[in-house]
Structures are given as C-alpha cells and as structure tokens.
C-alpha cells in the first residue's frame, strides 16, 4: 500500500495503536528497556499518530524525549521553554523547506504538537530516557500557561482543551 493511499485508520490497525488518553493522538509502545535504575526502565520508544482531528495536548515530562518523523504530513511541535520563550519546530521530510526528521525536547519543557494546516495524518515516534511513566507526565493548564507565556497564546489555545478519541 503506497503511503499516499494509506489512511490513519490503516495505520492504527496495522500497528495495533490505542488512544493516548488525555494527551491525545494514538500510541503503540514498541520498546521498554529491561535495564532499570531504581525500578525505572532506562528508556522506552513508541509510535505516535496525529490526525487532522487530533493534537498532542501541552504537557511536560521530566526526562528527555527525542521525536522521529516517519511519514505523512508535517507536524508543528511547540515548546514553551523555562526561560519564557517559545520555539516552533516543523517535523517532516522536506529538508529544503526547513523541516527536520528528528528533534530533542529537553526535560521540564512544555510541549504539544499538531499537524500543519491542511494535513491529514502523520506517523511519528518518540524515544525517552528514562522511560516514559505516568508519574513523570504533567498535563498543561490553559490559564496558567496563558499567564506565563502570553506571546504563545495562539498555540496554547490550539494545544489545550479536550482531545478526541479515534
């Protein structure tokens, strides 16, 4: 099946993906390190799918997260830094247009993502060190984020609120 003819539902079925709860999008864990430090796995990896009807709600993690772009339409990744600044990175394969296929989000940085306007779906992956755990996840509060990052209001509005299941 050619990439152009694949649908988000095709990917969800083939990769056995499930909704990612409050964050949004679809997920499938593909690896979790057997090596542990104080009971926490050293690392983990997932497939992550966004569609035109979904987004990754602004959240922060204590550990580092590396994004990998696999296929589909470009994704805007918004980071709200601890110094009060905002950074937008476009994940994709069109290097000549400034898109990049891999990006690191430092621990403690607010992050959220969505397809660029007009996109249908994107398949990404992330790798985390240490491994993802729910205890390390903090869900963003819209009002608090708007107060701390007023220049990012347009992105905060788009990357907070209720997420849709597939």
């Amino acid at each position: 099946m050619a990439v152009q003819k694949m649908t988000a539902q095709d990917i969800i079925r083939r990769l056995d993906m499930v909704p990612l709860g409050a964050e949004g999008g679809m997920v499938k864990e593909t690896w979790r390190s057997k090596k542990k430090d104080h009971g926490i796995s050293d690392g983990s990896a997932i497939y992550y799918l966004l569609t035109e009807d979904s987004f990754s709600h602004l959240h922060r993690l204590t550990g580092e997260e590396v994004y990998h772009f696999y296929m589909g339409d470009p994704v805007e990744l918004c980071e709200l830094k601890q110094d009060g600044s905002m950074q937008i990175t476009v994940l994709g394969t069109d290097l000549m247009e400034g898109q990049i296929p891999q990006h690191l989000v430092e621990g403690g940085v607010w992050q959220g993502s969505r397809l660029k306007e007009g996109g249908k779906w994107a398949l990404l992956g992330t790798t985390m060190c240490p491994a993802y755990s729910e205890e390390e996840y903090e869900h963003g509060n819209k009002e608090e984020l708007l107060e701390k990052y007023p220049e990012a209001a347009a992105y905060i509005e788009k990357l907070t609120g209720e997420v849709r299941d597939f």
Side-chain angles (χ1 to χ4, degrees):
M1 180 177 292
V3 172
Q4 305 91 307
K5 295 182 183 185
M6 245 189 295
T7 68
Q9 288 302 322
D10 292 331
I11 294 167
I12 290 166
R13 279 191 301 275
R14 290 181 184 270
L15 297 180
D16 195 26
M17 300 178 93
V18 296
L20 187 55
E23 183 182 333
M26 299 295 285
V27 67
K28 170 68 176 187
E29 186 173 83
T30 58
W31 169 74
R32 183 167 289 268
S33 172
K34 292 179 180 137
K35 186 176 178 199
K36 295 183 177 186
D37 183 23
H38 303 292
I40 299 170
S41 293
D42 285 352
S44 62
I46 62 168
Y47 286 129
Y48 185 63
L49 179 75
L50 286 172
T51 70
E52 61 192 326
D53 296 322
S54 67
F55 63 93
S56 170
H57 193 285
L58 281 164
H59 64 284
R60 66 179 165 186
L61 304 163
T62 57
E64 297 175 330
E65 184 170 27
V66 179
Y67 279 80
H68 313 271
F69 185 90
Y70 296 128
M71 66 177 80
D73 297 308
V75 172
E76 291 181 323
L77 173 64
C78 175
E79 295 174 76
L80 304 177
K81 308 280 185 150
Q82 294 173 355
D83 65 3
S85 66
M86 176 180 74
Q87 176 181 329
I88 303 298
T89 302
V90 180
L91 300 167
T93 57
D94 193 342
L95 303 180
M96 299 306 287
E97 287 295 318
Q99 298 171 14
I100 59 172
Q102 189 178 89
H103 179 74
L104 170 69
V105 176
E106 297 285 341
V109 171
W110 291 103
Q111 60 172 299
S113 57
R114 66 186 185 100
L115 293 176
K116 282 192 61 103
E117 194 70 34
K120 297 293 182 191
W121 59 264
L123 179 63
L124 306 110
T126 71
T127 305
M128 290 193 61
C129 292
Y132 173 81
S133 74
E134 288 185 26
E135 295 80 32
E136 308 297 321
Y137 175 92
E138 182 179 356
H139 200 68
N141 176 286
K142 179 179 176 178
E143 289 73 29
E144 291 173 9
L145 291 169
L146 285 168
E147 185 175 316
K148 183 166 183 184
Y149 302 95
E151 74 287 350
Y155 279 94
I156 293 169
E157 291 288 341
K158 293 175 185 175
L159 298 174
T160 55
E162 190 174 334
V163 297
R164 292 182 51 188
D165 284 338
F166 290 77

